[in-house]
Amino acid sequence: MPVAFKDYYQVLGVSPKATEEEIKKAFRTLARKYHPDVAKDKKNAEEKFKEINEANEVLSNPESRRKYDELGANWKSGPPPQTAPGGDFRRSSARGPGGQEYEFRFGGTGFSDFFEQFFGGQGGAPFEYQGAPGEFEGGAQTVARRGRDIEGDILITLNEVLSGAVRAISVQRTNARTGEEEAQTYQVRIPAGVKAGQRIRVPGKGGEGMGGGRAGDIYLRVRYAQHPDFRVNGADLIGHLDLSPWEAVLGAAVPVPTLEKTVSLKVPAGTQQGHQLRLRGKGLPAGAGKRGDLYVAVAIQVPAKITKEQERLWKELAATAGFDPRKNS
């Protein structure tokens, strides 16, 4: 059964000619709407949030977007690559006991078949010899071989990074020759503070060993789901803060969202455009019970329309302020 093509531009609601900024804006708008922490229908929102993240994961990266555009241009000219049936599964293969060829697919990792086939990581290492050769049986020497390690990617939200989580991951093994299928589900613990690129190991759940060799392991490579409000810098989070001109000049106490809740931030009088304000301990786990910080970069917003009275007041301010930014900078 062919893997279904994913129209990532349609997912984000943008044109294939959309600029980087238009893609970023579309992602933020949709991600805020469907973020599981704020949506009322959490189950459907979670699936939509994963789909939006997947689309943004590809289209926000120039190299993967180029690859995707080339793929899209050629998709209709011929049949798409084949894969085993099933949604949200990653395909890998390994040779098991008796020389049988098996295909492994992951479910519940947050990525679609399409993404894993064209943009995901590669499968695990092939069989490795384990220990010394086994005993002779019937005149033939048997060799203990360790089962193959199976690798896949897993999409982790920043809230899961902050608090940790337990995810149900499905592993389906298909005998490539007979078509027989066997599926198992494992509860995988995601530790708080897990790093992007780190691999979560599920021991003994990979390919079966041969000749008495032990089974391989499952490794899930962590990828952070992009957040609509924050980007990650180590254990620190980077966000933004819109201020009115008077808030920047006079100072103010303004609400700022964090991963946990909205808090009040004191903005000093005279805050400049681009200045970063810090909220201590509102970042990601940094080890030893500590957390990184949340930095918000100030963006001063000017009203697009003003009334006649407001115009009069601005002119009065301009006449009395005695401030020239071209001389005072």
Side-chain angles (χ1 to χ4, degrees):
M1 179 179 177
V3 61
F5 179 75
K6 284 271 190 177
D7 189 336
Y8 290 139
Y9 292 108
Q10 186 179 60
V11 170
L12 294 183
V14 297
S15 161
K17 296 182 179 180
T19 64
E20 183 178 337
E21 187 58 36
E22 287 172 335
I23 289 172
K24 184 184 297 184
K25 182 178 180 181
F27 166 74
R28 285 177 175 170
T29 299
L30 290 171
R32 287 193 183 101
K33 179 179 179 181
Y34 292 104
H35 197 287
D37 289 342
V38 297
K40 294 181 179 179
D41 187 347
K42 294 188 180 299
K43 184 175 181 180
N44 289 332
E46 184 176 353
E47 293 305 312
K48 186 68 175 179
F49 185 71
K50 289 175 183 177
E51 186 180 36
I52 293 164
N53 252 282
E54 182 174 305
N56 188 62
E57 181 90 9
V58 173
L59 298 184
S60 65
N61 181 297
E63 179 60 27
S64 60
R65 183 180 181 182
R66 180 192 62 76
K67 180 180 177 181
Y68 175 76
D69 287 342
E70 290 177 356
L71 175 68
N74 298 324
W75 189 266
K76 296 180 181 178
S77 62
Q82 300 292 307
T83 186
D88 193 21
F89 277 98
R90 183 188 186 282
R91 181 180 177 183
S92 184
S93 63
R95 193 172 298 280
Q100 299 292 336
E101 185 77 16
Y102 291 95
E103 293 176 349
F104 292 83
R105 294 182 295 139
F106 291 148
T109 60
F111 289 109
S112 69
D113 274 345
F114 178 80
F115 178 91
E116 289 290 6
Q117 182 160 337
F118 294 101
F119 303 100
Q122 301 301 313
F127 278 122
E128 299 173 356
Y129 285 104
Q130 175 187 300
E135 299 178 354
F136 287 91
E137 294 182 5
Q141 187 184 35
T142 61
V143 180
R145 294 188 178 184
R146 179 180 181 276
R148 181 176 180 172
D149 292 335
I150 307 299
E151 293 191 7
D153 294 312
I154 184 168
L155 189 69
I156 305 296
T157 67
L158 295 187
N159 297 80
E160 289 176 320
V161 176
L162 177 62
S163 304
V166 175
R167 292 267 289 276
I169 302 299
S170 301
V171 181
Q172 182 171 300
R173 185 177 73 168
T174 304
N175 187 311
R177 184 175 64 84
T178 66
E180 291 183 29
E181 295 183 350
E182 178 186 351
Q184 290 180 301
T185 298
Y186 306 106
Q187 298 298 315
V188 177
R189 188 180 70 86
I190 300 166
V194 67
K195 302 290 190 296
Q198 182 177 332
R199 296 193 306 171
I200 298 174
R201 177 172 171 256
V202 185
K205 303 303 182 183
E208 293 184 24
M210 295 178 63
R214 65 184 177 87
D217 301 327
I218 292 175
Y219 288 95
L220 299 172
R221 188 182 302 104
V222 171
R223 299 176 78 145
Y224 284 174
Q226 296 191 52
H227 197 281
D229 296 319
F230 310 118
R231 60 184 177 86
V232 179
N233 182 23
D236 294 331
L237 296 175
I238 312 297
H240 75 281
L241 177 63
D242 292 329
L243 293 178
S244 65
W246 46 92
E247 287 174 327
V249 172
L250 302 175
V254 298
V256 175
T258 72
L259 285 177
E260 297 152 297
K261 61 181 181 180
T262 298
V263 300
S264 179
L265 173 65
K266 184 177 180 181
V267 177
T271 294
Q272 302 294 308
Q273 169 79 16
H275 183 71
Q276 285 193 337
L277 302 174
R278 180 169 64 175
L279 286 159
R280 294 181 183 272
K282 296 299 181 183
L284 298 176
K290 297 181 179 179
R291 287 177 58 178
D293 301 325
L294 167 61
Y295 293 86
V296 288
V298 170
I300 299 175
Q301 302 294 333
V302 176
K305 295 181 179 180
I306 56 176
T307 65
K308 288 292 185 180
E309 176 60 15
Q310 290 168 343
E311 181 181 6
R312 183 189 68 78
L313 292 172
W314 279 109
K315 288 181 177 179
E316 182 179 332
L317 176 62
T320 59
F323 176 75
D324 186 340
R326 287 162 293 283
K327 293 180 179 179
N328 294 79
S329 59

